[in-house]
Each structure stands twice: as structure tokens, then as C-alpha cells.
Amino acid sequence: MRDDQATASPLAAIEETQDFRPRFNEAGLLPCITQDAASGDVLMMAWMNREAMDLTLATGEVHYFSRSRNRLWKKGETSGAIQKLIELRIDCDQDCLLARVAVQDRAKTCHTGRTDCFYRVAEARPDGLHLRMRD
């Protein structure tokens, strides 16, 4: 232990530990940003509970928790856009995950039929905020 860690705050201890200590929110969920490991594109954001995270790590296929359906789901179970886990990272204060994945059928990543869920760009215009479809 470094000298400065002896008096460090609990948050500082989380930031420096090599212990995996995910900090789920009051609903038992963690946000998970999903990135194509090959291209670096951000594909989506979804939620994981402990079971989804454990299944993801155990199977190598990414699972999430659907808040609207109140159940686990394996990404691609109906669309075919299975996400194979390359690496699961956690942020500095262990309250957000980054899943780096390989996708079998990237064309069906978003339920709208797009290759990712971030297909609109927010723009400020004189008449207010607007969304523009990304190229």
C-alpha cells in the first residue's frame, strides 16, 4: 500500500484497487456502454444487473437486463446480432461498464435496424435544439 492510500477516502481506495467491486445503483443495475472492439464505434448503452454481468463473463456472450421487460436478455437472441465479449472494463469508480465486443451481424445491432443506437446528432440552431440523422 502506498503511503497516500492509508489516509485516502473510500472512493480513492476503489479507484486504485485491483479488486473487482462493481457499484450497482439502488435498483441493482449498472450502465454498460458497448463498443465494437475492431472499429471502436460505440454501439449501444444498456443495463446489467449482477446476473447479466456474471452470465456475460461466464459465457462470453453479452447479456443485459431489460428494465421495460424486467428480465435478462442475451443481445442478439432474436436479431442474430450476438455480441461476443472481447473485454469487460469498469470505470474508475466502478459504477459503469464498457463491454468491448465482436458482433456477428452488425447490421442488426439496434432494434431500429441500424448498425448502432447512436444514429442522431443533437444540434443547436437559432430556433432551438434539433436532431439530425448521422451520415
Side-chain angles (χ1 to χ4, degrees):
M1 179 183 295
R2 296 187 330 233
D3 290 338
D4 60 335
Q5 285 181 316
T7 58
S9 71
L11 186 56
I14 287 172
E15 292 168 349
E16 298 301 325
T17 187
Q18 291 186 356
D19 295 336
F20 186 56
R21 293 189 253 167
R23 296 175 39 201
F24 297 90
N25 68 15
E26 58 281 345
L29 302 173
L30 268 176
C32 180
I33 300 163
T34 306
Q35 177 185 46
D36 184 307
S39 69
D41 293 345
V42 174
L43 304 178
M44 59 183 280
M45 180 276 180
W47 296 92
M48 284 190 180
N49 63 5
R50 169 74 65 182
E51 187 178 5
M53 186 182 67
D54 289 347
L55 273 170
T56 296
L57 291 167
T59 66
E61 293 183 342
V62 183
H63 293 72
Y64 299 102
F65 182 81
S66 170
R67 295 180 302 164
S68 61
R69 295 176 291 200
N70 196 34
R71 70 171 186 88
L72 288 173
W73 57 286
K74 180 172 84 172
K75 179 62 180 162
E77 64 189 345
T78 56
S79 69
I82 301 289
Q83 295 176 347
K84 297 287 187 181
L85 185 67
I86 304 300
E87 180 178 60
L88 187 66
R89 297 181 183 179
I90 196 159
D91 74 336
C92 56
D93 53 357
Q94 297 204 39
D95 64 359
C96 184
L97 297 167
L98 172 65
R100 299 185 69 245
V101 303
V103 184
Q104 289 179 352
D105 187 355
R106 172 90 187 262
K108 297 178 184 177
T109 293
C110 182
H111 74 279
T112 65
R114 292 177 171 86
T115 60
D116 66 69
C117 296
F118 296 96
Y119 53 89
R120 295 174 290 185
V121 178
E123 296 180 325
R125 296 184 188 161
D127 61 337
L129 295 174
H130 294 273
L131 293 176
R132 171 180 58 80
M133 299 303 243
R134 193 183 78 220
D135 297 331

